[in-house]
Amino acid sequence: MAETQSIIGHAAAMAKLVAYQPGAVVSRTLTDRPAGTITLFAFDAGHGLSEHSAPFDAFAYIVDGESEISIGGEKHRVIEGQAIIMPANIPHALKAVTAFKMLLVMIRS
């Protein structure tokens, strides 16, 4: 079960802050400020986010598992411990190769 306390001012293990759920994508917003957001996601295998774009760069860090992230039509395999930046206004999509957890940081500018 995911921990429920806030991590603001407290250390916590990222992988334990959100739990996998069968057939689902689960998200937990860790902070949402005018300058940006930090959100933790858990994707069940085979699930993902359809192609979309955002007005800000999005930094994705894979906490657990393996994903396929498409940016501007180019596919990237991103695994636990790796990160990638999805540039602003470029279409991107995500798919879980295995169940995976991702920390997503968006900085508004």
Side-chain angles (χ1 to χ4, degrees), residues 82-101:
Q82 293 183 327
I84 193 166
I85 293 177
M86 296 170 281
N89 303 311
I90 304 294
H92 55 270
L94 298 91
K95 184 176 180 183
V97 175
T98 66
F100 83 98
K101 294 180 182 180

Side-chain angles (χ1 to χ4, degrees), residues 65-104:
E66 181 177 352
S67 66
E68 179 180 272
I69 299 177
S70 174
I71 302 171
E74 183 179 347
K75 294 180 180 180
H76 306 270
R77 287 282 174 123
V78 189
I79 63 172
E80 179 179 339
Q82 293 183 327
I84 193 166
I85 293 177
M86 296 170 281
N89 303 311
I90 304 294
H92 55 270
L94 298 91
K95 184 176 180 183
V97 175
T98 66
F100 83 98
K101 294 180 182 180
M102 171 183 75
L103 183 68
L104 183 70

Side-chain angles (χ1 to χ4, degrees), residues 24-99:
V25 175
V26 178
S27 68
R28 178 176 178 191
T29 300
L30 302 179
T31 188
D32 186 355
R33 303 276 194 246
T37 60
I38 301 174
T39 307
L40 191 59
F41 288 88
F43 294 78
D44 194 14
H47 289 268
L49 299 176
S50 60
E51 188 173 71
H52 63 284
S53 62
F56 314 106
D57 287 346
F59 170 85
Y61 174 77
I62 306 305
V63 175
D64 183 42
E66 181 177 352
S67 66
E68 179 180 272
I69 299 177
S70 174
I71 302 171
E74 183 179 347
K75 294 180 180 180
H76 306 270
R77 287 282 174 123
V78 189
I79 63 172
E80 179 179 339
Q82 293 183 327
I84 193 166
I85 293 177
M86 296 170 281
N89 303 311
I90 304 294
H92 55 270
L94 298 91
K95 184 176 180 183
V97 175
T98 66

